[in-house]
Amino acid sequence: MYVAKCKHGENFQEGSIVPFADFHISPCAAVLHYGQGLYEGLKAYRTEDGRIIIFRPDQNGLRLQAGADRLCMPYPSVDQFVSAIKQVVLANKKWIPPPGKGTLYIRPILFGSGPILGSFPVPEYTFLVFACPVGRYHKDNSGLNLKIEDKVRRAFPSGTGGVKSITNYCPVWKTLAEAKAQGFSDVLFLDAATGKNVEELFASNIFIVKGNVVSTPQISGTILPGVTRKSIIELTRDFGYKVEERVIPVEDLLDSEEVFCTGTAAIVTTIASVTFKDKKSSFKTGEKSLAAKLFATLTDIQMGRVEDTKGWTVEIDRSHQG
């Protein structure tokens, strides 16, 4: 894993690769008491011809910076971020699954590691990157069955829903667990201001399709600006669809022809049905769906099966693979 530390008032310097292991942290660390922490997520892919590719790491680096600014933390430059990702991938290249068998999931984290109790500023910050092999996040190829949560909200205006704060996730674990116990795949959350508009799933963005128009909730501070979301918007426009980033009332979702979600883990996953207040609505699925076409196109780029004309992929230099 990669570890770099930074004192208050200073900038992050080059870190180092060390064996993956537990590390010591003060019981007074800011991350433990005040939740001052962020994480990112991206993947490394092994191609059919033996190359190793990562997908748009600069976008994760920029998002980390935005989140760090929101949580009052210093942050590595985008170049430092991408360099750390490359170093971790190379150090763990034997764990990258063969093509089609999975990917190497990379988890960068940035947090207040220095001791603080009732005062400010935090004396030290840690930027750490580790990785592990993973398979498909959603294994049900027939599509997800979502529950629209009409009581609990994931994020609120002026909060941290628009950044990958570690505080965004466990508050809705209970809601997710209850939905899964009822047989649902995931939860779709509504906006806190009105409770009438869809926002996102537990850890992925949502898209709806009606005719030649594809819509996704606009970035407004409560929705995470997903890297996959951004890529899918561009690919969808390439396919000739009109893409709208807008407020999406629940009624528009229920009236749509097709629904899918996107994310680093989800990639592009079809949503087969949505249940809202005990009423179930079903949507188009299968190989002829837009979601299936987008999944194939995106993964072809990520896996190096087609030429990357967009400059999204970064190949780990073979000369450094050892």
Side-chain angles (χ1 to χ4, degrees):
M1 63 184 187
Y2 176 97
V3 181
K5 294 183 181 293
C6 175
K7 300 292 185 184
H8 171 69
E10 298 180 0
N11 296 320
F12 273 100
Q13 302 302 312
E14 181 62 34
S16 58
I17 292 290
V18 299
F20 181 87
D22 295 345
F23 57 91
H24 295 285
I25 191 169
S26 168
C28 294
V31 66
L32 300 179
H33 294 266
Y34 305 110
Q36 190 187 38
L38 290 165
Y39 77 84
E40 277 296 326
L42 60 162
K43 293 175 178 176
Y45 309 80
R46 192 183 296 277
T47 68
E48 297 284 355
D49 57 0
R51 294 175 295 137
I52 297 173
I53 287 175
I54 48 180
F55 184 73
R56 306 192 79 173
D58 59 313
Q59 296 298 306
N60 294 92
L62 288 168
R63 189 170 65 180
L64 183 89
Q65 291 186 348
D69 184 66
R70 177 68 181 85
L71 299 186
C72 215
M73 292 191 288
Y75 47 78
S77 69
V78 172
D79 286 346
Q80 285 175 313
F81 180 91
V82 174
S83 173
I85 300 302
K86 289 180 176 179
Q87 291 178 55
V88 169
V89 171
L90 288 176
N92 293 282
K93 66 179 185 292
K94 70 177 182 180
W95 295 107
I96 305 174
K101 300 295 184 181
T103 56
L104 185 74
Y105 181 75
I106 308 155
R107 172 61 65 90
I109 54 176
L110 175 66
F111 59 95
S113 51
I116 177 175
L117 206 57
S119 63
F120 191 80
V122 178
E124 182 191 75
Y125 299 88
T126 298
F127 174 55
L128 188 151
V129 185
F130 66 93
C132 66
V134 296
R136 279 293 300 271
Y137 181 68
H138 292 299
K139 297 179 175 61
D140 187 355
N141 292 326
S142 62
L144 305 183
N145 299 300
L146 302 187
K147 175 186 178 182
I148 295 181
E149 174 53 51
D150 61 348
K151 296 182 177 64
V152 176
R153 305 292 181 246
R154 173 192 167 271
F156 57 90
S158 79
T160 59
V163 299
K164 283 191 76 69
S165 170
I166 61 173
T167 58
N168 290 348
Y169 298 90
C170 72
V172 290
W173 273 353
K174 182 179 180 182
T175 304
L176 182 63
E178 290 171 350
K180 290 199 170 188
Q182 295 168 0
F184 295 103
S185 313
D186 207 330
V187 173
L188 177 59
F189 292 95
L190 303 178
D191 72 306
T194 70
K196 296 178 179 179
N197 307 310
V198 300
E199 291 216 319
E200 64 180 271
L201 283 70
F202 172 71
S204 53
N205 297 115
I206 192 163
F207 288 75
I208 66 172
V209 185
K210 185 73 179 286
N212 196 49
V213 180
V214 178
S215 304
T216 190
Q218 65 190 28
I219 300 300
S220 58
T222 56
I223 293 169
L224 192 73
V227 177
T228 309
R229 173 189 180 276
K230 184 176 183 178
S231 307
I232 288 301
I233 287 174
E234 188 168 332
L235 291 175
T236 302
R237 287 183 173 137
D238 290 347
F239 289 164
Y241 287 84
K242 179 183 178 183
V243 179
E244 297 179 341
E245 297 179 69
R246 62 178 177 88
V247 173
I248 299 180
V250 173
E251 292 75 20
D252 286 11
L253 167 72
L254 300 180
D255 189 45
S256 58
E257 298 160 3
E258 182 183 346
V259 184
F260 59 88
C261 63
T262 66
T264 298
I267 313 173
V268 182
T269 301
T270 295
I271 294 169
S273 70
V274 167
T275 299
F276 181 51
K277 295 182 177 178
D278 297 326
K279 181 184 178 183
K280 185 175 181 178
S281 302
S282 297
F283 308 100
K284 179 180 179 179
T285 61
E287 293 181 2
K288 294 185 178 181
S289 66
L290 175 60
K293 186 177 180 181
L294 287 167
F295 175 85
T297 302
L298 181 63
T299 53
D300 277 349
I301 295 171
Q302 292 174 331
M303 296 295 295
R305 290 190 288 257
V306 297
E307 182 184 357
D308 174 18
T309 59
K310 297 181 177 294
W312 286 349
T313 58
V314 176
E315 184 177 340
I316 304 295
D317 190 346
R318 293 188 191 196
S319 66
H320 292 109
Q321 289 186 32

